[in-house]
Each structure stands twice: as structure tokens, then as C-alpha cells.
Amino acid sequence: MKVALLSDCYLPRLGGIEVQVHDLADRLRRSGHEVEVFTATPGRAGERHGAVELVDGVPVHHLALRLPGDLPVNPLAPPELRRRLLAGGFDVAHVHMGVVSPFASDAVDVALSVGLPTAVTWHCVLDAMERVLAVSGRVRRWAGRGVALSAVSRMAARPLERLAPDARVAVLPNGIDLDRWRSPTAPTHLAAGPGPEGDAGPVRLVTAMRLARRKRAVPLARVARRVDDLVGDQIDWRIEVFGEGPQRGLVQAYLRTHGLTDRVLLRGRVSRDQLLESYRGAAAYVSPTVLEAFGIAALEARAVGLPVVGRRGSGVEEFVEHGVTGLLAGGDRDLAAHVATLVLDPVARQRLRRQSLETPPTQSWPAVVGMVEAEYARAGRLARRGRT
């Protein structure tokens, strides 16, 4: 099968959609499919205006304009995209949507106009955009024209079900290389922290997130302050934050003001290998995000065996069972209380760790590729019927 993957954002930009679409392209190619990517993101050497770059064996069409900040926006792309999709001999178009995705939205209309079976996956929580899409009627129209709709989690799928009530919205989760995160070089134990079964170092928590408002970077600092109040001087602990973003300065200012610079350590952006290494000996992973459609970093930590402490109603519920593989909170006070529990209770940490290792997550790439292939087959059936 020849597959066109279409996304506003792609490498070298770094983010959840960018990495997931890249990895999906790679995994589809390994499974014997022919794959090409179309994006409004410039290439590694600034490729634009339709230049094709080969990225890990996959041709990437950079239909990008020269814009401030290399914004992945190109309202002039549809005619050229149409020409390339017609000439490419593709069997299916798979469009990947974020919160605001002008290029991807245009790509859906172009793919339909050339008669391609089309699957559309949302990687985001729509939130306020749901009202905009309801007024435009775009999602309902797509469903009526035979688009196979999906989202990366059940919580992300619910708004789409409201927008297109007569359509089936599938759940098409993100995938991870489970073998890599659970390899023999991954940690075989969790440091219990101070106590008879652990070392004498601090209890170390980790998180990987963009330091941005939507990811709740500043509220994470507030949670850390609450944890510090709950734990007091009983045990030494740290939380290491991996990632960068526009709110780094605000977070640093909060930490300085409240004397938390020795508790919350901003480690900056690191590679996947470095992130895996950082999980060695960690006690738990903390996910403060509410508008999180999935949470790939939390899933990777869960694959290593780290208990995940997160918010109910977020995408982490797809792979975290409360009291079994992590702890889920209804609000930030509960989140802080759960974190404090794991800092103070090495027995609880080890129990959750053991259970997490015994029940690996199901979102491995082989399983996800099978689901993607089934979604492509559904898109083909819908295209033939012209209805949902």
C-alpha cells in the first residue's frame, strides 16, 4: 500500500505530533508499505516550496513558505498538494491534526477532491476549538463524505463524537518502541530512596514536558511546593523536569520565590536516550497536564516501569490504572498528595513498580501499526460507500 502522511508539523520541529508521524512513517515502511510525508514545516537545511528531503528512508515534501519563526502555515499549498497526490499513485491519505491545523485541514479537502480514501487522526484535545468546528460544520461534512475519523485516546475522541454524531470515531493510539524502553539496559529496579531497601540518596521523581501554559508548567511548580509542605524534613526528594518552553522564566521565578530551586531541577531538552537514562533509579513519573490527549512521555515512563502520577480525565488514563500502575488525581491537591505518598512510602513505590512491569502497556508499535492498517481499510470502505 502507498500511504501519504500529511501533517502541519514534522521534523526537524520537535513535538508529539512531529515525532509520532515520523515514527509511524518508519514503522509503516518497515511493514512493507511505501510512505511519503507532506508537511508545511521547512526541512533540516531549510527546504521549502515543495523540495523533497529523504528522512530515514522516507521522502518528505516540504510545502513550506518562508515565514517568521518558520510557522507551519501555507495557504498556497493546496494546488501543488493536489498535483502531487494525483501524480503519486497513493492508496490512502492519513492526515494528522493538532489543535489548529490549517495545512492538515486543507489536506483533507484536497485528498477528498482527488478521490483518495482518507483517514484523519486528532492528536489533541479540542477544548475551545470544539465550538469553532461546530459552527463550521467541517468535521460533520468530512464524515459525511466518507472520512474515517479517529483520535489518539477516548478523551480526545469524545468531542469528535459530538461534532459528527452519526460517525464512528476510532481510537488510534500513539505507539512506542516497547522493546527499547523495556530493554535489558533499562532500569531493573527503582531506587527506594532512604530506607533499608534503597540507597541513601534523595527520592527522585521525573517528568518530561514542554514548559508551556497548556502543559501546566507553573502549576507543576505549585504542586511541588505543596509536596514540600506535606513531606517536610522527613525525606530528601527531587523532581527533575526535562524539556524547554516559553514559561521557563516564570517557572524559575516561582521556584526562586518559594525556595524550591533545590527541589525542582530544570534539566532542559534531552535526547530520547538521555531521557531513558534519566529514568534509571527514578521513583515515579509526574504528569500535571489536564488537556493531554495522550501523553507519550508518560507512556514511555510507564513502559520502563515507573509508576505514573497524573490527572483523571487526561490521556494518561489510557494506560494508567489507579492503584495498579500509578495514581490518578482529581485535582492538583490530590496530585500533590499522591506524589507525597510515593515520596514517603517506599513499599507503595515498589508495589506499583512491580505491577507496572508485570502489565506492560499495549501501545507497542506492532499493535498500533495493525490498528492503523485496519483504519486504512475502513477509510477505503467508507470512500466506496460515500457515507459513514
Side-chain angles (χ1 to χ4, degrees), residues 146-171:
V147 171
L149 306 177
S150 63
V152 294
S153 65
R154 287 184 292 271
M155 63 131 1
R158 284 191 283 270
L160 299 171
E161 292 169 342
R162 293 190 290 268
L163 291 168
D166 296 328
R168 175 192 161 210
V169 181
V171 174

Side-chain angles (χ1 to χ4, degrees), residues 135-209:
V135 171
S136 73
R138 175 172 268 181
V139 176
R140 184 192 291 267
R141 287 198 302 274
W142 286 345
R145 296 180 64 186
V147 171
L149 306 177
S150 63
V152 294
S153 65
R154 287 184 292 271
M155 63 131 1
R158 284 191 283 270
L160 299 171
E161 292 169 342
R162 293 190 290 268
L163 291 168
D166 296 328
R168 175 192 161 210
V169 181
V171 174
L172 203 59
N174 291 327
I176 63 169
D177 185 345
L178 195 58
D179 291 338
R180 178 183 187 183
W181 291 92
R182 295 173 67 85
S183 71
T185 59
T188 56
H189 70 282
L190 282 182
E197 77 277 46
D199 57 35
V203 175
R204 192 168 61 84
L205 311 165
V206 293
T207 190
M209 62 187 296

Side-chain angles (χ1 to χ4, degrees), residues 210-213 244-251:
R210 179 167 165 75
L211 301 182
R213 181 179 180 183
E244 287 290 353
Q247 290 201 324
R248 182 184 181 95
L250 289 175
V251 174

Side-chain angles (χ1 to χ4, degrees), residues 13-363:
R13 290 177 69 100
L14 289 177
I17 294 179
E18 295 89 331
V19 172
Q20 274 297 304
V21 176
H22 167 271
D23 289 358
L24 175 60
D26 178 62
R27 292 290 171 161
L28 287 171
R29 187 176 63 85
R30 292 193 205 182
S31 298
H33 301 288
E34 189 177 351
V35 183
E36 296 187 21
V37 173
F38 297 82
T39 182
T41 300
R44 290 173 291 190
E47 290 89 347
R48 292 178 172 83
H49 308 299
V52 180
E53 176 190 19
L54 198 65
V55 179
D56 297 329
V58 174
V60 179
H61 301 249
H62 293 284
L63 297 170
L65 296 177
R66 191 174 298 278
L67 296 174
D70 285 335
L71 287 174
V73 176
N74 186 357
L76 306 178
E80 180 61 18
L81 179 59
R82 175 184 172 84
R83 187 188 70 78
R84 295 189 186 203
L85 290 180
L86 279 171
F90 294 98
D91 299 299
V92 66
H94 189 180
V95 183
H96 298 264
M97 303 286 292
V99 178
V100 179
S101 296
F103 176 84
S105 295
D106 286 342
V108 178
D109 293 330
V110 172
L112 289 171
S113 74
V114 301
L116 269 181
T118 304
V120 182
T121 301
W122 274 263
H123 294 251
C124 62
V125 179
L126 289 177
D127 196 30
M129 278 299 296
E130 181 180 351
R131 293 189 291 273
V132 176
L133 291 172
V135 171
S136 73
R138 175 172 268 181
V139 176
R140 184 192 291 267
R141 287 198 302 274
W142 286 345
R145 296 180 64 186
V147 171
L149 306 177
S150 63
V152 294
S153 65
R154 287 184 292 271
M155 63 131 1
R158 284 191 283 270
L160 299 171
E161 292 169 342
R162 293 190 290 268
L163 291 168
D166 296 328
R168 175 192 161 210
V169 181
V171 174
L172 203 59
N174 291 327
I176 63 169
D177 185 345
L178 195 58
D179 291 338
R180 178 183 187 183
W181 291 92
R182 295 173 67 85
S183 71
T185 59
T188 56
H189 70 282
L190 282 182
E197 77 277 46
D199 57 35
V203 175
R204 192 168 61 84
L205 311 165
V206 293
T207 190
M209 62 187 296
R210 179 167 165 75
L211 301 182
R213 181 179 180 183
R214 190 176 180 88
K215 298 297 184 179
R216 307 188 72 241
V218 175
L220 173 64
R222 297 193 187 107
V223 167
R225 183 186 180 191
R226 175 67 176 164
V227 173
D228 205 42
D229 290 341
L230 293 171
V231 173
D233 296 328
Q234 299 177 66
I235 288 179
D236 192 12
W237 66 278
R238 305 281 187 276
I239 179 166
E240 298 184 18
V241 182
F242 296 91
E244 287 290 353
Q247 290 201 324
R248 182 184 181 95
L250 289 175
V251 174
Q252 288 175 320
Y254 185 93
L255 298 178
R256 286 194 298 267
T257 299
H258 297 284
L260 294 170
T261 54
D262 61 340
R263 292 294 190 210
V264 181
L265 309 177
L266 304 182
R267 299 301 196 190
R269 181 179 291 168
V270 299
S271 69
R272 281 175 165 180
D273 289 339
Q274 290 171 312
L275 191 60
L276 174 56
E277 181 63 29
S278 78
Y279 291 164
R280 300 180 188 280
Y285 182 95
V286 182
S287 176
T289 311
V290 178
L291 297 177
E292 182 73 89
F294 190 79
I296 191 68
L299 176 62
E300 290 167 344
R302 161 84 170 78
V304 171
L306 298 186
V308 174
V309 185
R311 288 286 300 266
R312 293 189 184 277
S314 72
V316 299
E317 283 191 301
E318 293 291 309
F319 49 84
V320 175
E321 182 179 354
H322 180 71
V324 178
T325 56
L327 298 172
L328 297 172
D332 283 353
R333 289 182 67 85
D334 287 343
L335 188 71
H338 288 333
V339 173
T341 294
L342 292 184
V343 169
L344 293 167
D345 190 346
V347 174
R349 294 199 300 270
Q350 294 294 342
R351 175 178 57 81
L352 291 173
R353 157 70 168 174
R354 182 175 62 255
Q355 291 171 166
S356 189
L357 287 173
E358 289 173 353
T359 55
T362 60
Q363 294 86 357

